[in-house]
């Protein structure tokens, strides 16, 4: 099909990443998963620093320490707030206006990665796989439907994203995610539908937020590491919003 041949690099990279992720998931080892996520986390953090145009090298040390602490700390999502308090206290003490933006890379993407780790630690590899499927189907569905019948722009932030594609992606993700989670006996069917739908919807805006950052920075991609996709942030943007929402809902139920 033309839609596949014209986007060969995108599909090959996506399939390759999926196979690696599945391999890590099958091993299902906390240290391996933490290390695997950590590689993507540091690369994404670097890409975000460039998008925010922040040149404070000390933030990289903070980011690394944050991830190391996340390995041992019982509630990794708390670490973002601890970092926010630390930076806020430093700002108040030094009265340095430049430091006001220093919290941004920890808000995005660091907090999203912390919640992905939380999802795995608290709910297991099955929930992480559920997140993977929901966000992947959101992207694939939006791409296929958008390329096929998409006409109306979804947002000025991302002109190539169509309303038809977004709706199609959410439908794909809701159906696929619900059947998967229900089949694995994780939750009831009603809860599976709600979680899949809301997670997919949040993933759409995760992608849109990263598009907003790129437009503000005047770049097409966050990086060039992944052929057909761009940077790591271009690939994980939906997961960073989706993981937070999924953890919140999981704790609520």
């Amino acid at each position: 099909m033309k839609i596949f041949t014209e986007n060969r690099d995108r599909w090959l990279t996506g399939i390759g990443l999926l196979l690696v992720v599945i391999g890590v998931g099958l091993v299902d080892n906390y240290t391996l998963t933490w290390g695997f996520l950590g590689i993507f986390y540091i690369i994404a953090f670097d890409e975000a620093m460039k998008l925010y145009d922040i040149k404070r090298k000390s933030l990289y040390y903070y980011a690394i320490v944050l991830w190391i602490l996340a390995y041992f700390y019982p509630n990794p999502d708390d670490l973002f707030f601890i970092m926010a308090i630390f930076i806020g206290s430093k700002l108040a003490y030094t009265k340095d206006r430049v430091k006001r933006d220093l919290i941004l890379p920890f808000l995005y993407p660091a907090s999203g990665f912390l919640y992905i780790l939380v999802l795995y630690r608290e709910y297991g590899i099955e929930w992480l796989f559920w997140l993977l499927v929901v966000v992947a189907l959101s992207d694939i569905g939006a791409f296929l439907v958008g390329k096929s019948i998409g006409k109306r722009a979804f947002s000025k932030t991302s002109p190539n994203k169509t309303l038809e594609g977004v709706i199609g992606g959410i439908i794909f993700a809701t159906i696929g995610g619900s059947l998967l989670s229900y089949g694995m006996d994780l939750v009831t069917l009603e809860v599976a539908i709600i979680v899949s739908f809301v997670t997919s919807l949040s993933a759409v805006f995760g992608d849109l937020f990263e598009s907003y950052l790129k437009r503000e920075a005047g770049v097409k991609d966050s990086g060039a590491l992944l052929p057909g996709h761009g940077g790591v942030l271009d690939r994980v943007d939906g997961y960073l919003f989706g993981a937070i929402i999924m953890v919140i809902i999981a704790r609520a139920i």
Side-chain angles (χ1 to χ4, degrees):
M1 291 177 64
K2 186 177 180 181
I3 194 171
F4 294 103
T5 56
E6 288 183 347
N7 299 274
R8 181 174 176 271
D9 288 344
R10 180 183 179 90
W11 287 105
L12 289 178
T13 301
I15 292 171
L17 284 173
L18 180 61
L19 291 176
V20 172
V21 171
I22 291 175
V24 173
L26 289 175
V27 175
D28 193 12
N29 175 270
Y30 178 70
T31 300
L32 176 63
T33 303
W34 171 83
F36 178 72
L37 289 173
I39 294 172
F40 282 87
Y41 160 67
I42 293 301
I43 297 173
F45 190 90
D46 177 60
E47 291 176 355
M49 289 279 284
K50 293 173 182 175
L51 292 179
Y52 293 129
D53 194 27
I54 297 175
K55 298 178 174 61
R56 295 291 184 97
K57 291 184 178 180
S58 60
L59 294 192
Y60 289 96
Y61 300 114
Y62 296 157
I64 292 171
V65 170
L66 181 71
W67 196 250
I68 292 174
L69 290 175
Y71 180 85
F72 301 99
Y73 193 74
N75 300 301
D77 47 314
D78 291 346
L79 294 174
F80 163 72
F81 300 101
I82 294 174
M83 183 61 68
I85 290 173
F86 170 75
I87 292 177
S89 299
K90 195 172 182 181
L91 169 64
Y93 182 75
T94 61
K95 297 182 66 175
D96 187 349
R97 290 180 177 273
V98 177
K99 289 189 174 70
R100 291 187 176 183
D101 292 337
L102 300 191
I103 191 63
L104 293 178
F106 296 97
L107 177 63
Y108 181 92
S111 63
F113 275 97
L114 289 173
Y115 271 89
I116 292 175
L117 187 63
V118 168
L119 185 66
Y120 174 64
R121 178 184 284 187
E122 293 188 5
Y123 300 98
I125 195 65
E126 294 84 5
W127 280 71
L128 204 56
F129 188 56
W130 185 6
L131 173 68
L132 172 68
V133 169
V134 168
V135 178
L137 287 179
S138 297
D139 288 341
I140 294 171
F143 181 76
L144 294 177
V145 175
K147 286 289 185 180
S148 302
I149 61 172
K151 294 180 180 180
R152 291 171 288 185
F154 175 65
S155 169
K156 294 180 180 179
T157 301
S158 184
N160 293 328
K161 190 182 295 293
T162 65
L163 178 61
E164 293 84 356
V166 168
I167 294 174
I170 292 175
I171 292 174
F172 269 58
T174 301
I175 294 174
S178 300
L179 292 176
L180 173 74
S181 58
Y182 183 69
M184 292 191 297
D185 199 27
L186 299 180
V187 292
T188 65
L189 182 59
E190 293 80 6
V191 172
I193 293 172
I194 294 172
V195 173
S196 297
F197 172 78
V198 178
T199 301
S200 175
L201 183 62
S202 65
V204 169
F205 285 94
D207 179 78
L208 196 64
F209 179 73
E210 200 249 348
S211 295
Y212 163 75
L213 293 181
K214 289 187 294 186
R215 288 180 68 87
E216 289 292 299
V219 297
K220 180 182 178 182
D221 298 314
S222 65
L225 182 65
L226 304 174
H229 292 271
V232 168
L233 274 178
D234 295 313
R235 184 61 270 160
V236 303
D237 47 15
Y239 297 96
L240 298 179
F241 274 34
I244 296 174
I245 294 299
M246 185 171 275
V247 169
I248 291 173
I249 297 177
R251 287 173 172 171
I253 61 176

